Amino acid sequence: MASSRLLFFLCSILLHSVSLTIAQQTMLYHFCSNDKGIFTSNSTYQANLNHLLSSLSSNTHIDNGFYNASYGETPDTVNAMALCRGDTKPESCQSCINNSTQELTKFCPNKKEAFIWYDACMLRYSNRSFFGNMEFGPYFWMYNLENVTNANQFIHVLKDLLDDLQEKAASGGSLRKFATGNATIQSSQTIYALVQCTPDLSKRECSNCLTNASGLLPACCGGRKGGRVVSPSCNFRYETERFYDDPTANAPTPSPSQPSPTSQPPASQEGLIPPPPQAANTATQKGKENSKSGTFVLILVPLLILQYLSSLSGLF
Ligand SMILES: *[C@@H]1O[C@H](CO)[C@@H](O)[C@H](O)[C@H]1NC(C)=O
Ligand SMILES: *[C@@H]1O[C@H](CO)[C@@H](O)[C@H](O)[C@H]1NC(C)=O
Ligand SMILES: *[C@@H]1O[C@H](CO)[C@@H](O)[C@H](O)[C@H]1NC(C)=O
Ligand SMILES: *[C@@H]1O[C@H](CO)[C@@H](O)[C@H](O)[C@H]1NC(C)=O
Ligand SMILES: *[C@@H]1O[C@H](CO)[C@@H](O)[C@H](O)[C@H]1NC(C)=O
Ligand SMILES: *[C@@H]1O[C@H](CO)[C@@H](O)[C@H](O)[C@H]1NC(C)=O
Ligand SMILES: *[C@@H]1O[C@H](CO)[C@@H](O)[C@H](O)[C@H]1NC(C)=O
Ligand SMILES: *[C@@H]1O[C@H](CO)[C@@H](O)[C@H](O)[C@H]1NC(C)=O
């Protein structure tokens, strides 16, 4: 009896650390633009890309978690952009971007254009200039496996919250377009949400991008306890537990009953890209990358572990 309890306890710890590790390191999604050209090894494009990416990963001073730069002469110019989530500490931002430069070139060898997203940052590069352009695709979504009981009310409050945050983020100026906030449903349940645009967008473009994203709410996450829609120019995420670092909270040390700011709320689940809405439910299947271009189903985090974790989350 006692030993089975101990085993359970140990498993819980193990699973908890697995979930934290996942939160810190797992790539959420990457996309290699197969129709945007390839470069050959040892080409000038390759050299320019390497130069740009190494300057990015050795840049210990990424202002406001945003970086964009171009390098090289036409036709071998490379444009790159990196953005950290607005609440990311400088060291984590740096580490995330460093990792992203290494992983993206590994995942998308010889592709002129590629994208990668993590919890804490995103990176993209291309031979075409995209600074200041709102680009909604490629996009993907993820959702929490658990459902809310009061879906209609929940979605209504969530929509209002996202609209409010959209306005705040879009007004954020050219250095930072990021907002977090919470809303309470009948004083019993709180929704926490985060929205962000790349700061090179105009107010209007940021707004349009987030409108596109939240327009996918019914398809991606209707009735779900958590979810996100992520695109090159903007993203939103919501959960029923706080998952972002609150700059106004002065005690950053997590107490056992609270998720740590960097911990992933359990049971986030992968969606797809670019999703024909009717295919949304394929996201619940344990899937692999579909090699046909267009639709992908990615399951990166084992479903069972997450479901188990979410049932255990009261322990932590
Ligand atoms: C990028 O590379 C592709 C394929 O090589 C080429 O067709 C396209 O014109 C290039 N774009 C720019 C802006 O140079
Ligand atoms: C690229 O250059 C390296 C070193 O100069 C050489 O060893 C390698 O064979 C070259 N690769 C190709 C594909 O040309
Ligand atoms: C980036 O990561 C590599 C290995 O993952 C490491 O060797 C390098 O020191 C890191 N660079 C910075 C600036 O953190
Ligand atoms: C970067 O990669 C290293 C080694 O793989 C890992 O320990 C670290 O947590 C990663 N950092 C981020 C922010 O993902
Ligand atoms: C949540 O709702 C979806 C669709 O309504 C359903 O397919 C799924 O099984 C539900 N999940 C749980 C954990 O109840
Ligand atoms: C909810 O947001 C308000 C600001 O709108 C903040 O004062 C409060 O601390 C937040 N509540 C929680 C539980 O984070
Ligand atoms: C990077 O973006 C800023 C706006 O946020 C812009 O002023 C700057 O010119 C861009 N850099 C490049 C190399 O395009
Ligand atoms: C995003 O919204 C704009 C209108 O603001 C629309 O023209 C465009 O098709 C939308 N893009 C996607 C991918 O939904």
Side-chain angles (χ1 to χ4, degrees):
M1 195 57 202
S3 71
S4 80
R5 248 191 226 184
L6 181 62
L7 187 63
F8 179 72
F9 183 66
L10 289 176
C11 283
S12 308
I13 289 177
L14 179 67
L15 283 169
H16 188 53
S17 44
V18 165
S19 81
L20 290 180
T21 313
I22 286 169
Q24 280 161 19
Q25 294 179 19
T26 308
M27 171 201 65
L28 300 176
Y29 188 68
H30 72 273
F31 183 87
C32 314
S33 298
N34 290 320
D35 58 345
K36 297 285 163 57
I38 55 168
F39 57 83
T40 49
S41 299
N42 295 352
S43 62
T44 312
Y45 193 87
Q46 165 107 73
N48 291 343
L49 179 61
N50 289 351
H51 175 94
L52 205 49
L53 294 184
S54 63
S55 81
L56 189 46
S57 45
S58 61
N59 185 347
T60 51
H61 196 76
I62 293 176
D63 285 329
N64 300 289
F66 179 64
Y67 176 99
N68 64 351
S70 300
Y71 188 74
E73 310 283 326
T74 20
D76 296 308
T77 311
V78 185
N79 305 283
M81 180 183 286
L83 177 70
C84 286
R85 204 170 86 179
D87 60 334
T88 310
K89 303 258 184 312
E91 318 80 63
S92 321
C93 175
Q94 185 58 51
S95 157
C96 187
I97 289 176
N98 185 16
N99 291 1
S100 72
T101 60
Q102 318 218 348
E103 298 212 300
L104 189 50
T105 44
K106 216 162 59 194
F107 285 129
C108 301
N110 298 69
K111 292 289 188 298
K112 282 192 175 174
E113 181 175 292
F115 304 78
I116 193 164
W117 288 271
Y118 298 78
D119 249 347
C121 72
M122 61 153 268
L123 169 72
R124 60 185 294 199
Y125 54 76
S126 178
N127 68 330
R128 69 196 168 86
S129 170
F130 49 80
F131 302 128
N133 296 344
M134 190 279 256
E135 291 183 13
F136 192 66
Y139 62 93
F140 64 97
W141 64 60
M142 300 169 74
Y143 55 81
N144 194 304
L145 291 174
E146 285 179 56
N147 296 322
V148 294
T149 48
N150 47 343
N152 289 341
Q153 213 178 8
F154 190 92
I155 291 166
H156 185 73
V157 173
L158 173 59
K159 193 77 179 66
D160 284 351
L161 175 59
L162 289 177
D163 286 349
D164 179 43
L165 295 177
Q166 169 175 329
E167 173 64 25
K168 284 193 180 127
S171 310
S174 64
L175 295 178
R176 187 175 155 91
K177 288 191 164 56
F178 174 72
T180 57
N182 63 74
T184 305
I185 303 167
Q186 290 187 343
S187 68
S188 61
Q189 189 171 32
T190 306
I191 310 178
Y192 299 85
L194 166 163
V195 310
Q196 186 165 24
C197 291
T198 61
D200 57 319
L201 296 189
S202 67
K203 178 177 180 184
R204 187 193 177 88
E205 285 171 322
C206 174
S207 223
N208 286 345
C209 189
L210 288 168
T211 301
N212 278 10
S214 56
L216 290 170
L217 204 51
C220 86
C221 332
R224 302 289 187 170
K225 272 178 110 171
R228 46 181 138 179
V229 172
V230 183
S231 85
S233 287
C234 70
N235 67 81
F236 75 78
R237 177 175 179 188
Y238 75 93
E239 304 285 348
T240 52
E241 290 166 54
R242 189 159 70 80
F243 58 93
Y244 48 82
D245 211 0
D246 184 356
T248 59
N250 45 10
T253 29
S255 74
S257 61
Q258 274 183 330
S260 88
T262 52
S263 79
Q264 172 105 324
S268 272
Q269 174 77 347
E270 188 65 52
L272 42 136
I273 173 174
Q278 66 276 22
N281 58 3
T282 57
T284 56
Q285 291 163 5
K286 202 161 194 282
K288 280 204 167 100
E289 213 169 292
N290 179 337
S291 57
K292 272 192 288 182
S293 77
T295 29
F296 294 86
V297 180
L298 299 171
I299 306 293
L300 299 165
V301 184
L303 196 65
L304 283 173
I305 289 185
L306 286 177
Q307 279 175 332
Y308 187 51
L309 264 177
S310 67
S311 67
L312 286 176
S313 59
L315 280 170
F316 303 114

